[in-house]
Amino acid sequence: MLEKLFKLTAHRTTVRTEIVAGLTTFLAMAYILFVNPTILSATGMDKGSVFVATCLAAAIGSMLMGFIANYPIALAPGMGLNAFFTYTVVLHMGYTWQIALGAVFLSALIFFALSIFKIREWIITSIPLPLRSGIAAGIGLLLAIIALQGAGIVVDNPATLVGLGDLTRPGPLFAMLGFIVIVVLEARRVPGAVLIGILAITFLSIAVGISPFAGVVSMPPSIAPTFLQLDIRGALDISLVSVIFAFLFVDVFDNSGTLIGVTKRAGLADEQGNIPKMGKALVADSAAALFGSMLGTSTTTSYVESAAGVSAGGRTGLTAIVVGILFLLSLFFAPLASSVPAFATAPALLFVAVLMTSGLAEIDWRDITVSAPVTVTALTMPLTYSIANGTAFGFITWTLVKLLTGRYRDLNVALIVLSILFVIKLGWLSA
């Protein structure tokens, strides 16, 4: 049955490999189970209800991706989007969280329409191959800074923005040890190197008393306080147009960037860099965003941490299905999932960053009209902490450089239109 559904042999993978990949991806993104409720509860939403909504939205989204598109890409409420939801729309602009959920629903509805009519697919296929490599590398660098920050190796510094953390503390030491373990195991071609590294550091930290063992089982809280509480009529207010557009804009390009980067790393793109079944993948993640808003959480999106599972061998939707099942189980095993410390998953993300930045080797660095936009794309993502921002700067730079140097053949209508929209977004809708 699994062979028929996911075509494992054709993708040169096995059930065991897909399960290991699913476990790896889940452990790399399980932090969202605890971060998302904390952020959204600042709006007045019930924290327990948001926890359940997060689990269900991630499970539904990942399973939709697995069954519809057969891709090893997991979904969950997006980081950055939840912060925008809480700190900008609710706390700064003064709208209720119910209206904010309505805005998420409307943006997801537009997103779904763009996917159904293949407008978004047209957008992605218009991205030049070098820019796709730059996007993949940028995602890798973003994962690297997330990993280093989560491990305490990189910290904020008022004078230089970032600085070196206290390397005598257990977190950074365990993270560096985990990274070395993963690299060595991968070099020796040990299957499941990333998962082994995560689990080894987790068990070691518990054994020496660095991180607590939170327990195993607890009953899930009620989802009633947030389920179907979205206020769509309130979100139709004209003043919320820019908010809906912001949700849509970030979701479209965060998803697109993730889809390009992860499928490229998995070897699922063809020689021209095109992604087969892209339409199905876009329908799956836009439908997931709709379900998430109804359950009571901010926009559900594809996760760059899926690259961790791909590096562990995941190649089909079975990986995403495993992730979905684990999110469902998390409803009852929240204490156990919380036992995995951030410094145990950080090495996995850093390792994936190494793999994803390797795409820069494909760039023709002698052509400045190519290398400059790619470099801007790759650097802007980690430095602004946003896939969408990196994509925007990359598009604008590529279009202007090619236009002003007379390289018109390297441009297309979609690139020009999107570059103009990016300029408008960055210049007038940046809030």
Side-chain angles (χ1 to χ4, degrees), residues 289-353:
L290 283 169
F291 281 112
S293 65
M294 291 186 284
L295 290 167
T297 182
S298 53
T299 308
T300 303
T301 184
S302 299
Y303 256 60
V304 293
E305 284 84 354
S306 300
V310 167
S311 72
R315 292 296 180 271
T316 74
L318 183 55
T319 294
I321 300 300
V322 170
V323 175
I325 292 171
L326 290 171
F327 271 113
L328 287 178
L329 292 176
S330 297
L331 289 167
F332 305 96
F333 293 90
L336 183 61
S338 66
S339 297
V340 179
F343 58 73
T345 57
L349 297 182
L350 188 57
F351 174 71
V352 172

Side-chain angles (χ1 to χ4, degrees), residues 126-192:
S126 70
I127 303 175
L129 197 56
L131 268 186
R132 297 188 196 189
S133 297
I135 289 171
I139 292 172
L141 294 174
L142 176 59
L143 285 176
I145 199 167
I146 290 172
L148 294 172
Q149 182 185 35
I153 297 173
V154 169
V155 296
D156 65 314
N157 186 303
T160 60
L161 294 182
V162 294
L164 186 65
D166 184 359
L167 300 186
T168 63
R169 295 176 60 243
L173 292 175
F174 274 94
M176 290 187 288
L177 174 62
F179 180 68
I180 297 299
V181 168
I182 292 173
V183 171
V184 171
L185 291 176
E186 181 68 20
R188 292 180 174 272
R189 302 188 183 279
V190 176

Side-chain angles (χ1 to χ4, degrees), residues 38-322:
T38 299
I39 292 176
L40 295 189
S41 63
T43 67
M45 300 175 75
D46 181 78
K47 191 172 185 178
S49 181
V50 174
F51 172 80
V52 175
T54 303
C55 290
L56 294 178
I60 293 171
S62 299
M63 289 183 177
L64 284 173
M65 182 65 75
F67 282 121
I68 294 176
N70 195 25
Y71 277 157
I73 297 176
L75 290 85
M79 288 296 295
L81 286 162
N82 51 10
F84 176 72
F85 180 102
T86 297
Y87 301 113
T88 300
V89 180
V90 177
L91 298 183
H92 178 68
M93 299 179 71
Y95 291 102
T96 66
W97 60 264
Q98 291 91 340
I99 290 178
L101 283 178
V104 170
F105 178 85
L106 292 175
S107 68
L109 196 62
I110 299 170
F111 188 15
F112 186 76
L114 291 177
S115 301
I116 288 292
F117 293 107
K118 298 188 176 182
I119 297 174
R120 187 175 163 218
E121 186 174 351
W122 169 70
I123 291 172
I124 296 177
T125 54
S126 70
I127 303 175
L129 197 56
L131 268 186
R132 297 188 196 189
S133 297
I135 289 171
I139 292 172
L141 294 174
L142 176 59
L143 285 176
I145 199 167
I146 290 172
L148 294 172
Q149 182 185 35
I153 297 173
V154 169
V155 296
D156 65 314
N157 186 303
T160 60
L161 294 182
V162 294
L164 186 65
D166 184 359
L167 300 186
T168 63
R169 295 176 60 243
L173 292 175
F174 274 94
M176 290 187 288
L177 174 62
F179 180 68
I180 297 299
V181 168
I182 292 173
V183 171
V184 171
L185 291 176
E186 181 68 20
R188 292 180 174 272
R189 302 188 183 279
V190 176
V194 176
L195 178 60
I196 293 172
I198 292 173
L199 295 179
I201 295 302
T202 298
F203 293 143
L204 181 61
S205 66
I206 291 173
V208 299
I210 300 300
S211 58
F213 180 63
V216 180
V217 180
S218 66
M219 289 301 294
S222 171
I223 195 177
T226 61
F227 183 63
L228 294 179
Q229 296 300 308
L230 63 169
D231 183 356
I232 299 175
R233 178 174 294 181
L236 290 171
D237 189 288
I238 190 67
S239 62
L240 277 166
V241 169
S242 63
V243 170
I244 294 171
F245 179 77
F247 275 128
L248 173 66
F249 199 87
V250 176
D251 194 22
V252 165
F253 286 96
D254 270 11
N255 259 305
S256 301
T258 299
L259 192 61
I260 290 169
V262 175
T263 54
K264 183 178 177 63
R265 177 61 205 161
L268 297 173
D270 62 22
E271 293 179 358
Q272 286 73 43
N274 298 316
I275 305 169
K277 299 177 295 183
M278 183 191 295
K280 292 182 178 180
L282 301 181
V283 168
D285 59 39
S286 55
L290 283 169
F291 281 112
S293 65
M294 291 186 284
L295 290 167
T297 182
S298 53
T299 308
T300 303
T301 184
S302 299
Y303 256 60
V304 293
E305 284 84 354
S306 300
V310 167
S311 72
R315 292 296 180 271
T316 74
L318 183 55
T319 294
I321 300 300
V322 170

